[in-house]
Amino acid sequence: MFTEEKLGQAEKTELDAHLENLLSKAECTKLWTEKIMKQTEVLLQPNPNARIEEFVYEKLDRKAPSRMNNPELLGQYMIDAGNEFGPGTAYGNALIKCGETQKRIGTADRELIQTSAINFLTPLRNFIEGDYKTITKERKLLQNKRLDLDAAKTRLKKAKVAEARAAIWAEEVTKSEQEVRITQSEFDRQAEITRLLLEGISSTHAHHLRCLNDFVEAQMTYYAQCYQYMLDLQKQLGSFPSTFLSNNNQSSSTPVQSVSTPSVLASASASLPSVSNSIVTSGISELKSSSGNRKARVLYDYDAANSSELSLLADEVITVYSIPGMDSDWLMGERGNQKGKVPITYLELLN
């Protein structure tokens, strides 16, 4: 019968416009739900091998083995390197602090994945694997009922033509008419069942909207945590040196330019406590413009690159002052009978 309809040899019972619109809406919802779900999975877990592994364990109803995620792995490498280089050195200390922050970000990443999977991905998957499968099943039944109805109509039409030619008895026509009534009733009943299911798509959209809000809230929490962790790390690093011990091949008077905080980050943190670099900078500016000296606490160990510089130990207190013509990133430091240039980024001026 379906083949005859395609060839134009049989009439086709058309669905009403409302039902056709509902079917189109359901197909559209299924298509975009699948795309959004799959891309969200890629966003949360970029590694395709890891996604396949999680899928296999999920189908086996087993828990996937716990592994470090990328931020946690980077953090562990940084901590191990910092301990290897020495926690007392500027670079080693900075690596450890950065590593600890990366591991916190890794934990936040796990929480985002878990929350998003429960509140967002699972409802989308339930629609694809549950509600839409039911709709597809009932739609196929409707298709079969429609084909049955069309076949009954075709037989009735042929019977009436044959009756007009006195080729069959009237009872045959009556039988065909009864068959059409029965198949029409079954078709109408199945169309109603399908329509009720399809009208539930609007409720599905409302439910998915709530799930989307949950996903946005989870992302907002994650990015706020990451921002706060990095802000705290920036405060911990404070006036970390722009020149590290490994830069001995560079001229000691030309430190590497430090990376400035992005303007968007600065504006976002306007309401949060800022690092006291401005206070330190103003104090150093006053010291450079005067002929006096100040006490300063050493923040990090520093090994002199040449005889004109003074080696430093973290937490010791030295006397510092400026001399005319000295580079803006350096001060003269004194410890007892020893004196030499010291980088200002290793110092905290004392009142």
Side-chain angles (χ1 to χ4, degrees), residues 53-64:
E53 181 184 56
E54 290 171 359
F55 175 79
V56 171
Y57 275 98
E58 181 181 350
K59 291 301 180 184
L60 295 175
D61 198 22
R62 293 173 57 189
K63 185 178 180 181

Side-chain angles (χ1 to χ4, degrees), residues 156-170 173:
L156 175 60
K157 184 177 181 180
K158 290 179 179 179
K160 286 184 176 180
V161 171
E163 181 188 32
R165 295 174 182 173
I168 62 171
W169 296 99
V173 175

